[in-house]
Amino acid sequence: MGRGSMDLAAAAAALLILCFGIAGVASDASDHRYKKGDPVPLYANKVGPFHNPSETYRYFDLPFCTPEHLKEKREALGEILNGDRLVDAPYKLDFREDFKFKELCKKKLKPEDVARFRDAVAKDYYFQMYYDDLPIWGFVGKVDKEGKDLSDYKYYLFRQMQFDILYNEDRVIEISVHTDPNALVDITEDRDIEVDFTYSAKWQKTKTSFKKRMEKYSQTSSQPHHLEIHWFSIINSCVTVLLLTGFLATILMRVLKNDFVKYAHDEESTEELEETGWKYIHGDVFRFPKNKSLFAACLGSGTQLFALTVFIFILALVGVFYPYNRGSLFTALVVIYALTSGIAGYTATSFYCQLEGTNWVRNLLLTGCLFCGPLFMTFCFLNTVAIVYSATAALPFGTIVVIALIWVLVTAPLLVLGGIAGKNSKSEFQAPCQTKKYPREIPPLPWYRGTIPQMAMAGFLPFSAIYIELYYIFASVWGHRIYTIYSILFIVFIILLIVTAFITIALTYFQLAAEDHEWWWRSFLCGGSTGLFVYAYCLYYYYARSDMSGFLQTSFFFGYMACICYGFFLLLGMVGFHAALLFVRHIYRSIKCE
């Protein structure tokens, strides 16, 4: 697998470079250099409720001033997946051209237009634009809550925009938009209103270099008080890991040492002594699990998702996912997932053949559908919801065709090639002890040694090591906070893997010591149980830490988080099983098995 994995990694890197080279986000003026009076590209992107990040609509779904010729910008795959729908904005902000109160248009709003604007203002609608690839935000209007009763509220629409732009030589460095508090239109009642939309532009020189213009957007997550919280999280997790690993290592080494001495003494003794503990089941501990095809498919999918996560971290650490590089993360996820399907095929089929499975084609199909199947069904439901709401999260038919072609032309062939390579690897399962013909009966065990209580114990510690960092990730993915401290996130991920491995090893030892030899599925389920804790955290975050509301946002949040947590379950389950397998092989190799 070593050579094949290296070739696959090289292919992934090459395709990613090609993908980001072709589909990267660049303005029409690709070098971002302008002369005085040159037009600078300004695109209107979307509008939506501030507290519902997935519920966004096209900018001109609200009755703003519409240009005569509405031209849409060609977008990359990642931008479309991100819900971006860029069109030419009606504002004209030529390079270094100052002006005051330029008229955008005079628009007569009908009562239904007023009602739409009022509904948008009541829901805290914001708009987003891009000026020379720099993001701009602003609110559509404001609510004046004069009285406690809802009927006393006054709704106002902003009609004047003030653009403040900083430049350095021939480059745009920064842009912000402000609304004039005196230029308001009362839209509390449904009536015909004539609105005079205006805007101003003011240019100022700055010493900030072009290369550093994006740093402004990443500084919020790097502020001292935020960094202190992140490092506190890291130290807390490290202490947890050190205590856990130290405790487990001490206990297990002492117990195992006593076990090895006892078993060695028993073997030297001529008396017939009854075997007890984990040695007693040496003839059953390597008995292959039930549903071996599903088990191998879970390991294959988990390995693929692990490879995907590692590649994403590599790209993040080298700076590909800088703030507002629109859609780059989604593009990377689609491309890398497609390219790593060969890893899933190889891992699943080779392990399935080691378990003496015969129907490897069925196993390969199961591997291909295990994660993609639930994800596809979730996508179909949520995309239908987005279409009903006319939200930008609804993917166009062409994009769905592109993703389907990637799956058919890249993912499926690589999966099959990996499966064929796994089948032909001819590797045998390395078991230090021979398996007896008939399985031993497992003795009655107390309730807390059941699968579900053990999963609860196994998932709590890894979750406690990451929960502080989870808030920042959720606030970034399901909010407007920017997350750029990928190095800290990578350390947390490593800690998560270590804690998952150690807790699974400990629980596996106690299971074997209780003469329960069905550890295969148990170790996988215990390792992956952290994913269930993360999904439980979703409920807490939604109701206690966010202001999300509405069917579209709720279904998107819980639907896609279910897929992400399921992916975590497979990934960490794979880590837990492999850690347990290494441990079990080690302890049974250390004793003489008859």
Side-chain angles (χ1 to χ4, degrees), residues 227-241 465-466 468-469 483 485 487-495:
L227 281 175
E228 283 176 15
I229 295 169
H230 286 294
W231 282 114
F232 172 76
S233 167
I234 292 285
I235 293 166
N236 175 53
S237 301
C238 285
V239 170
T240 304
V241 171
I466 64 168
I468 294 176
E469 210 64 26
Y483 193 99
I485 316 176
S487 54
I488 288 181
L489 189 60
F490 184 64
I491 295 170
V492 171
F493 179 66
I494 298 295
I495 291 170

Side-chain angles (χ1 to χ4, degrees), residues 127-281:
F127 63 83
Q128 187 188 44
M129 298 182 185
Y130 283 93
Y131 184 70
D132 193 41
D133 286 344
L134 292 171
I136 320 168
W137 303 270
F139 283 97
V140 172
K142 72 169 188 174
V143 182
D144 191 357
K145 299 177 181 179
E146 293 177 350
K148 292 184 179 180
D149 192 11
L150 195 65
S151 60
D152 295 331
Y153 286 6
K154 292 283 187 182
Y155 300 91
Y156 296 100
L157 175 69
F158 295 132
R159 65 175 186 84
Q160 159 68 16
M161 297 289 177
Q162 169 69 43
F163 294 95
D164 294 319
I165 312 164
L166 300 181
Y167 71 95
N168 186 347
E169 303 296 337
D170 56 354
R171 305 240 200 195
V172 178
I173 303 300
E174 187 180 320
I175 183 168
S176 58
V177 64
H178 304 284
T179 50
D180 187 347
N182 299 317
L184 301 173
V185 179
D186 190 342
I187 52 171
T188 307
E189 298 177 1
D190 291 344
R191 56 192 174 87
D192 288 326
I193 304 174
E194 188 171 45
V195 182
D196 188 9
F197 287 101
T198 59
Y199 65 108
S200 308
K202 186 178 181 182
W203 291 79
Q204 288 183 314
K205 197 167 185 177
T206 180
K207 292 182 180 179
T208 307
S209 67
F210 180 78
K211 288 181 180 179
K212 294 183 177 180
R213 71 175 189 160
M214 285 295 179
E215 287 184 3
K216 168 193 170 184
Y217 304 104
S218 60
Q219 281 172 356
T220 51
S221 59
S222 302
Q223 287 173 354
H225 65 281
H226 283 301
L227 281 175
E228 283 176 15
I229 295 169
H230 286 294
W231 282 114
F232 172 76
S233 167
I234 292 285
I235 293 166
N236 175 53
S237 301
C238 285
V239 170
T240 304
V241 171
L242 287 172
L243 289 175
L244 176 69
T245 52
F247 173 74
L248 289 178
T250 305
I251 297 297
L252 287 179
M253 284 176 69
R254 183 172 292 179
V255 171
L256 284 171
K257 186 179 179 182
N258 291 339
D259 287 348
F260 290 146
V261 171
K262 177 178 176 292
Y263 293 145
H265 176 72
D266 290 349
E267 285 168 3
E268 290 172 5
S269 174
T270 54
E271 298 176 16
E272 283 290 325
L273 294 171
E274 185 182 356
E275 294 178 332
T276 56
W278 54 268
K279 189 187 176 186
Y280 180 62
I281 56 171

Side-chain angles (χ1 to χ4, degrees), residues 12 109 288 517 590:
L109 298 179
F288 297 146
H517 54 79
S590 303

Side-chain angles (χ1 to χ4, degrees), residues 20-94:
F20 285 113
I22 294 171
V25 180
S27 68
D28 291 345
S30 57
D31 61 352
H32 298 277
R33 292 184 182 276
Y34 308 97
K35 295 176 183 176
K36 184 176 172 59
D38 281 355
V40 182
L42 173 62
Y43 295 105
N45 187 13
K46 52 193 176 185
V47 294
F50 183 76
H51 298 295
N52 290 356
S54 299
E55 187 183 347
T56 54
Y57 305 95
R58 292 175 181 272
Y59 181 81
F60 290 110
D61 282 355
L62 288 179
F64 289 116
C65 297
T66 310
E68 293 181 11
H69 305 289
L70 200 61
K71 184 184 174 185
E72 295 192 2
K73 181 183 181 294
R74 264 189 90 180
E75 293 173 307
L77 174 64
E79 291 178 283
I80 297 172
L81 292 175
N82 196 38
D84 292 333
R85 301 291 184 271
L86 274 67
V87 294
D88 281 341
Y91 302 95
K92 301 299 176 189
L93 304 174
D94 295 337

Side-chain angles (χ1 to χ4, degrees), residues 114-132:
V114 172
R116 284 164 70 188
F117 268 128
R118 186 174 61 250
D119 182 58
V121 171
K123 292 179 180 177
D124 277 337
Y125 265 50
Y126 71 98
F127 63 83
Q128 187 188 44
M129 298 182 185
Y130 283 93
Y131 184 70
D132 193 41

